[in-house]
Amino acid sequence: MKSNKEAFRDYLQLEKKYSSHTVNAYLNDIMFFETFNKNHFDQDNIEHVNYSQIRSWIVSLVDADISNVSVNRKMASLKAFYKFLLKTKQIEVNPMLKHKALKAPKIIQIPFSEKELTDLIREVENPVGFEEIRDKLIVEMFYTTGMRRAELIHLMFRNVDLSSNVIKVLGKRNKERIIPVLPVIIGQFDSYIKERALIENIVDTDYFFISKKGLKLSESFVYRLINSYFSRVSEKVKKSPHVLRHTFATHLLNNGADLNSVKELLGHSSLASTQVYTHNSLAELKKVYTNAHPRNK
């Protein structure tokens, strides 16, 4: 018979369709609470705790200088676990029912400017060899499609349709979406595919982007690549694939794209997730308004 944690893991994987990374994060949070509960309350299981025990864990995390954002994430894991136990009738009362998240500062991602993107593309305008051609295409893919890092890494060769100028990506919760490919980078696809065909002994043949050894790219490799490239043209502290995704959305909104279209391109399930990107477009709108209105002349 499965334990509640094992059943919860299956629920997250099979019903909620969360990624293995997310599932492991949830289970690790639950495991840490189990350890805390055992050490402080001499209780072997956490199925029947009360909120005062959970609050004690919150206090201990805050005292250990864990950020409110991280504490809230751990509480979200517990909340999902107890909600699952209630749903499967393992408990009758959810101890997290009246829990309120800790106040956390809103983190505003600063996108790259259009000039920074233009400068970088110009700097790597004529890539030579497999790795340079691949790396430039990866930068272009992030900026012109708004893909997530995991979506780019797991892009399948069969899902790149250059005859229709579209790619199919697998997003969060295994949700597929079609993203158009701008004609301006189709030539880069052709160059990369030709160079890729020269790689001997490709191990991960199904994946579109591979290393020179024929292996699927790792998350850390893609992060380092983007960080390294943008270090040439930007002094921003954060230089990551996620910032490029944020830049994609912000630049579209700044240039007149409607929020719903950006939502679909990003693969968000609700507008609330997309609206975080309107902060910078609003700043741009204010600047245009101030510079253009006759009353400000």
Side-chain angles (χ1 to χ4, degrees):
M1 186 175 177
K2 289 183 179 179
S3 69
N4 285 329
K5 278 197 302 182
E6 290 172 329
F8 180 57
R9 179 197 60 208
D10 291 346
Y11 167 73
L12 295 177
Q13 290 176 332
L14 303 177
E15 291 193 39
K16 302 297 286 184
K17 298 189 182 302
Y18 286 166
S19 69
S20 57
H21 177 79
T22 301
V23 172
N24 288 334
Y26 272 63
L27 295 177
N28 283 339
D29 290 337
I30 292 166
M31 181 190 70
F32 286 135
F33 179 55
E34 276 186 325
T35 301
F36 174 85
N37 204 52
K38 173 65 177 175
N39 292 339
H40 288 77
F41 299 102
D42 197 25
Q43 190 173 352
D44 289 322
N45 66 70
I46 58 171
E47 277 78 359
H48 301 287
V49 300
N50 55 55
Y51 185 64
S52 66
Q53 291 169 267
I54 296 171
R55 190 168 57 236
S56 294
W57 189 38
I58 295 172
V59 171
S60 74
L61 292 171
V62 172
D63 286 345
D65 289 331
I66 305 298
S67 72
N68 285 8
V69 171
S70 295
V71 172
N72 286 341
R73 195 210 71 209
K74 295 179 188 300
M75 293 308 110
S77 299
L78 279 192
K79 193 171 184 178
F81 180 61
Y82 287 117
K83 188 175 180 180
F84 169 76
L85 293 182
L86 192 67
K87 180 180 179 181
T88 55
K89 302 187 185 306
Q90 301 301 309
I91 60 175
E92 295 181 358
V93 178
N94 183 347
M96 294 288 291
L97 189 61
K98 295 183 179 181
H99 172 74
K100 292 183 179 180
L102 302 181
K103 289 185 178 181
K106 290 184 178 180
I107 300 174
I108 299 174
Q109 296 282 3
I110 301 175
F112 298 114
S113 67
E114 291 188 33
K115 182 181 183 302
E116 286 173 327
L117 264 301
T118 301
D119 288 347
L120 179 61
I121 298 302
R122 187 180 295 121
E123 187 170 321
V124 294
E125 193 167 6
N126 298 303
V128 177
F130 169 75
E131 290 184 294
E132 285 188 10
I133 290 171
R134 176 203 61 198
D135 294 352
K136 186 189 177 187
L137 180 56
I138 287 175
V139 172
E140 291 272 27
M141 285 281 280
F142 277 129
Y143 180 51
T144 61
T145 70
M147 299 172 74
R148 299 178 177 94
R149 175 171 53 174
E151 291 171 346
L152 181 134
I153 290 170
H154 293 97
L155 178 64
M156 296 296 172
F157 205 104
R158 65 178 179 273
N159 290 334
V160 176
D161 184 359
L162 297 183
S163 63
S164 301
N165 287 10
V166 296
I167 57 174
K168 183 192 293 183
V169 300
L170 190 64
K172 288 186 175 181
R173 304 184 189 181
N174 293 330
K175 184 179 177 182
E176 289 186 342
R177 73 182 185 282
I178 305 295
I179 304 177
V181 175
L182 293 182
V184 71
I185 66 168
I186 290 297
Q188 294 181 47
F189 272 88
D190 292 333
S191 298
Y192 170 72
I193 289 171
K194 288 176 184 176
E195 291 289 335
R196 186 185 185 280
L198 300 177
I199 300 292
E200 296 181 2
N201 302 320
I202 297 178
V203 178
D204 294 320
T205 54
D206 291 338
Y207 294 94
F208 186 72
F209 287 109
I210 56 173
S211 69
K212 62 182 179 181
K213 294 182 179 179
L215 300 172
K216 181 183 73 168
L217 303 182
S218 68
E219 290 194 359
S220 59
F221 172 85
V222 175
Y223 176 86
R224 290 196 304 271
L225 186 157
I226 297 301
N227 188 277
S228 173
Y229 267 60
F230 278 89
S231 292
R232 306 181 190 184
V233 296
S234 177
E235 294 183 357
K236 290 181 173 64
V237 175
K238 190 95 181 264
K239 297 179 280 286
S240 68
H242 185 70
V243 173
L244 253 184
R245 176 172 160 86
H246 184 76
T247 301
F248 163 82
T250 302
H251 289 184
L252 282 181
L253 291 167
N254 285 348
N255 285 278
D258 69 274
L259 200 59
N260 267 308
S261 298
V262 176
K263 166 185 171 291
E264 293 301 318
L265 288 168
L266 291 172
H268 285 160
S269 57
S270 71
L271 271 179
S273 299
T274 315
Q275 284 170 335
V276 68
Y277 298 106
T278 62
H279 173 85
N280 292 285
S281 59
L282 180 60
E284 183 71 15
L285 184 61
K286 286 179 178 177
K287 185 171 71 174
V288 171
Y289 169 69
T290 302
N291 291 337
H293 199 283
R295 289 286 287 164
N296 201 47
K297 300 298 183 183

